[in-house]
Amino acid sequence: MQITDKLTGAEETARQFVYMDKAKEYVERLAAKLERRPTCCVTTFGCQMNARDSEKLAGILERAGYELTENEEADFVIYNTCTVRDNANQRVYGRLGHLGSMKKKNPHKKIALCGCMMQEPAVIEKLQKSYRFVDLIFGTHNIYKFAELLVQMFEADGMVVDIWEDTDQIVEDLPIERKYPFKSGINIMFGCNNFCSYCIVPYVRGRERSRNPEDILREIRALVDDGVVEIMLLGQNVNSYGKNLEHPMSFAQLLREVEKIEGLKRIRFMTSHPKDLSDELIEVMKQSTKICRHLHLPLQSGSTRILKAMNRKYTREDYLALAARLRKEIPDLAITTDIIVGFPGEEPCDVDDTIDVVKQVQYDNAFTFIYSKRTGTPAAAMENQVPGEVVKEGFDRLLKVVQDTARERVALLKGQTLDALVEEVNEQDDSLLTGRLSNNTIVHFKGDRSLIGEIVPVYLKECHGFYYLGELVR
Ligand code: 5AD
Ligand code: SF4
């Protein structure tokens, strides 16, 4: 049922706040029974977009009276799932089994599942059949209704399932609990219209919808007032931002407006589709003092024949020309990428083509994936699926080149002093801080934890493969 789609965004927001108060009554009753504040844990699988969604879930849970923890022993555990590749799904099933055993010992424990994987009918069937202990299941399109769903869960006897096929609704101004006080992701658009033939995202995240620029800018200003210095603008394909707005605007224009926000120090964005990357964007990046020197530009394959079958709408030559233009215009730019090996019909010579592009572009980092067949996508129905051992051979060959190239690229920074945003105390050695350079490279250096959230100059002393050991320059 999608009756709520008839409300305006603002009316829907108000409605959800009423449900938050109602959910709070249930949480208070539980607290009285337990004689302590109930805890909840939001576990995120997948991309930055999911991480941001989890912050929205956490915001509502906190408001409803839960204490947030990272421990899955919590009274309420919610998995925000990903389904881009099958191994993500398998991980969820594995860990869910474990949650089920915990629930046997602690019957008041509640378990909820949401995110991309829940948009697949076969998944819901499996959960309804074999994972009856799950209390609440919802999808990507009705996440803004989480408060209302929480109340339904408290009032229901069995499993509550609410999945929508699509939505055109964007609901603003719901509470958000940020993971980091000094940096934040911001959704600028939802969904994807590209239908790359291997990809399930357009089916589970729906059609492309851009947020109004005023809403985005207002959110960023509020974040900056709250101490945020670095933002990441999020969308499946940020380069096509604004096309479906009432008053269309380009992504480059949006960036120009974001740049003007006083107090904001760094701007990142993710992800760019090569086919939509404009000269205007390159120009804006070049002139900007805030846009970070990092571009994630998924290649997927370096073979024009495979790119065509993938429905990527660019050729190997188009991509190489674009990368050359970026290198010429912004010499200190780090370029990273995603590559898939084993797409149906791929031959060793296609992998050679991909390797050749990696060598020419000189990526600072590349995420390499083995093709995963996703039910319902055009590629899943292709007959020429590649045998596992052939995929493995191509994957290993590619990975070696990717790692060697990335090491060489990262080593080029040695001896420079560059600004790093201090993000946390190092996990292995608490005398060290971990910072991130504008180009996304990580550097560890001695320093006091009071520097967390600051941008400080660091001398890049020793290169250790993909990261640096450095020294704080005062
Ligand atoms: N198999 C393997 N990798 C995939 N990706 C998307 N769909 C698939 C799939 N079916 C990869 C792409 C994308 C990244 C987020 O995940 O490289 O850029
Ligand atoms: Fe998937 Fe292609 Fe859309 Fe990226 S651009 S989410 S790979 S369909």
Side-chain angles (χ1 to χ4, degrees), residues 180-422:
Y180 298 96
F182 52 85
K183 69 170 187 177
S184 179
I186 313 236
N187 299 104
I188 63 165
M189 59 202 298
F190 303 93
C192 180
N193 284 353
N194 288 313
F195 290 95
C196 300
S197 62
Y198 51 82
C199 186
I200 200 162
V201 168
Y203 305 90
V204 297
R205 287 264 175 190
R207 293 295 65 70
E208 210 170 274
R209 284 153 288 141
S210 295
R211 281 177 76 194
N212 284 318
E214 306 84 60
D215 291 330
I216 297 170
L217 295 168
R218 190 163 50 91
E219 184 178 353
I220 301 173
R221 280 190 209 106
L223 286 167
V224 171
D225 286 345
D226 199 33
V228 165
V229 292
E230 178 179 300
I231 54 151
M232 183 181 276
L233 305 175
L234 300 170
Q236 301 295 347
N237 177 13
V238 291
N239 296 327
S240 73
Y241 170 80
K243 286 187 182 154
N244 58 358
L245 287 172
E246 202 185 327
H247 305 288
M249 105 186 265
S250 68
F251 179 54
Q253 283 170 316
L254 176 71
L255 280 172
R256 278 205 181 98
E257 295 306 313
V258 176
E259 174 103 18
K260 290 180 197 155
I261 296 177
E262 226 169 284
L264 178 66
K265 305 227 170 90
R266 282 181 166 185
I267 305 167
R268 299 184 183 277
F269 54 84
M270 180 94 95
T271 289
S272 291
H273 194 305
K275 80 174 164 63
D276 296 315
L277 200 145
S278 65
D279 286 344
E280 189 194 7
L281 177 64
I282 300 179
E283 199 46 42
V284 169
M285 288 182 78
K286 194 173 154 180
Q287 287 166 3
S288 168
T289 54
K290 296 185 180 174
I291 300 175
C292 289
R293 286 336 198 200
H294 173 215
L295 184 70
H296 187 66
L297 193 65
L299 167 68
Q300 313 300 5
S301 168
S303 151
T304 296
R305 188 177 69 85
I306 297 297
L307 285 169
K308 192 160 183 3
M310 286 178 161
N311 193 30
R312 289 290 288 175
K313 303 194 179 83
Y314 54 84
T315 63
R316 160 196 176 78
E317 287 71 28
D318 294 335
Y319 189 100
L320 283 170
L322 176 60
R325 212 154 72 236
L326 286 160
R327 288 268 182 250
K328 179 165 161 269
E329 298 295 333
I330 317 170
D332 56 346
L333 183 73
I335 305 180
T336 59
T337 201
D338 291 340
I339 299 171
I340 299 175
V341 180
F343 183 84
E346 187 179 69
E347 310 256 351
C349 61
D350 297 307
V351 180
D352 292 341
D353 279 353
T354 302
I355 289 177
D356 183 61
V357 174
V358 172
K359 286 184 175 160
Q360 289 197 48
V361 176
Q362 293 277 302
Y363 293 105
D364 288 75
N365 198 1
F367 300 93
T368 48
F369 305 109
I370 287 183
Y371 167 72
S372 171
K373 195 170 168 176
R374 309 314 288 135
T375 311
T377 61
M382 292 179 186
E383 274 164 13
N384 42 4
Q385 304 283 324
V386 184
E389 62 285 5
V390 178
V391 180
K392 178 85 177 56
E393 191 271 334
F395 183 83
D396 290 347
R397 254 181 341 116
L398 171 67
L399 189 64
K400 172 138 193 354
V401 180
V402 158
Q403 288 180 338
D404 291 348
T405 329
R407 258 190 223 106
E408 279 170 33
R409 277 292 299 181
V410 177
L412 292 177
L413 302 175
K414 194 176 153 138
Q416 295 189 43
T417 296
L418 293 174
D419 280 346
L421 171 61
V422 186

Side-chain angles (χ1 to χ4, degrees), residues 30 34 36-43 66-79 95-112 135:
L30 180 62
L34 299 172
R36 60 173 171 81
R37 197 168 160 203
T39 53
C40 77
C41 168
V42 184
T43 303
Y66 278 105
E67 182 181 333
L68 297 169
T69 150
E70 288 183 9
N71 185 341
E72 293 190 0
E73 296 278 351
D75 302 302
F76 184 23
V77 176
I78 173 157
Y79 279 179
R95 289 178 61 167
L96 201 50
H98 187 56
L99 282 189
S101 328
M102 289 190 208
K103 188 166 175 168
K104 280 201 187 113
K105 286 182 224 140
N106 177 6
H108 76 255
K109 188 181 181 85
K110 298 266 184 216
I111 300 171
D135 300 281

Side-chain angles (χ1 to χ4, degrees), residues 409-420 435-439 441-445 456-464 466-473:
R409 277 292 299 181
V410 177
L412 292 177
L413 302 175
K414 194 176 153 138
Q416 295 189 43
T417 296
L418 293 174
D419 280 346
R436 193 180 294 272
L437 304 180
S438 166
N439 77 0
T441 302
I442 294 289
V443 56
H444 307 289
F445 55 97
V456 295
V458 181
Y459 172 67
L460 303 173
K461 196 170 176 200
E462 285 170 37
C463 181
H464 288 249
F466 304 110
Y467 67 90
Y468 271 91
L469 280 184
E471 279 167 9
L472 184 64
V473 178

Side-chain angles (χ1 to χ4, degrees), residues 36-55:
R36 60 173 171 81
R37 197 168 160 203
T39 53
C40 77
C41 168
V42 184
T43 303
T44 312
F45 297 80
C47 65
Q48 306 274 357
M49 208 86 80
N50 259 21
R52 183 65 175 160
D53 282 349
S54 290
E55 292 185 343

